[in-house]
Amino acid sequence: MAAFNKFNAFVEALAEKVHNLGSDQIVVALCTAANAPVVGNSVLGDLTQISYTNCSSRNVTTDTSEQTGGTYKLVLDDLTLTAGGGAIAAFRYIVLYNDTAASDNLIGFYDYGSDLTLADGESLTIDFDGSNGVLTLA
């Protein structure tokens, strides 16, 4: 899996109670190389997404959101995106955002390095690293 990059505004939004990562609905957004996210983005409206026609659910399930010894870790279940009824538009970036937050605040993104395409019936499993979690705060 590509490295996780947090959006700068996520830190402030977390401190100002915009996110409750233990209960809010986290969703993935998909973006092309031509519409790359940057760490200065803060809300979903800052991004240009692909069309999700033919794409399975992008909702992510939170496995655990807890701290141990003063270190917080967010663990998300892996998500499988499947193309059904046709292909999914090419994308390079997988973005995590908080769909429960009023402004759909951004959390972070993964850069796959080149475009990915899914033909009808193909799937991509996003491995959110069940051991280390998506993110930790110490």
Side-chain angles (χ1 to χ4, degrees):
M1 175 94 184
F4 179 76
N5 301 282
K6 73 170 171 38
F7 290 102
N8 293 339
F10 170 69
V11 177
E12 181 178 357
L14 194 61
E16 295 175 353
K17 298 192 278 186
V18 171
H19 300 284
N20 179 342
L21 299 176
S23 63
D24 289 353
Q25 180 61 62
I26 297 173
V27 178
V28 298
L30 306 174
C31 300
T32 65
N35 296 301
V38 295
V39 296
N41 296 136
S42 59
V43 296
L44 189 61
D46 293 339
L47 304 178
T48 301
Q49 304 171 66
I50 68 164
S51 168
Y52 297 113
T53 302
N54 305 320
C55 188
S56 60
S57 174
R58 297 173 293 114
N59 291 338
V60 180
T61 301
T62 299
D63 183 6
T64 57
S65 171
E66 60 190 14
Q67 69 81 30
T68 303
T71 299
Y72 169 83
K73 180 167 65 170
L74 176 65
V75 177
L76 303 175
D77 289 345
D78 293 349
L79 176 67
T80 300
L81 297 176
T82 302
I88 297 173
F91 61 93
R92 174 175 170 169
Y93 300 92
I94 294 178
V95 178
L96 292 173
Y97 72 94
N98 183 342
D99 194 43
T100 304
S103 298
D104 291 336
N105 295 73
L106 301 174
I107 297 170
F109 65 94
Y110 299 93
D111 178 355
Y112 273 77
S114 61
D115 280 349
L116 304 172
T117 56
L118 296 178
D120 189 14
E122 290 184 333
S123 296
L124 170 71
T125 299
I126 304 167
D127 179 359
F128 289 118
D129 193 346
S131 297
N132 295 317
V134 171
L135 61 90
T136 57
L137 303 171

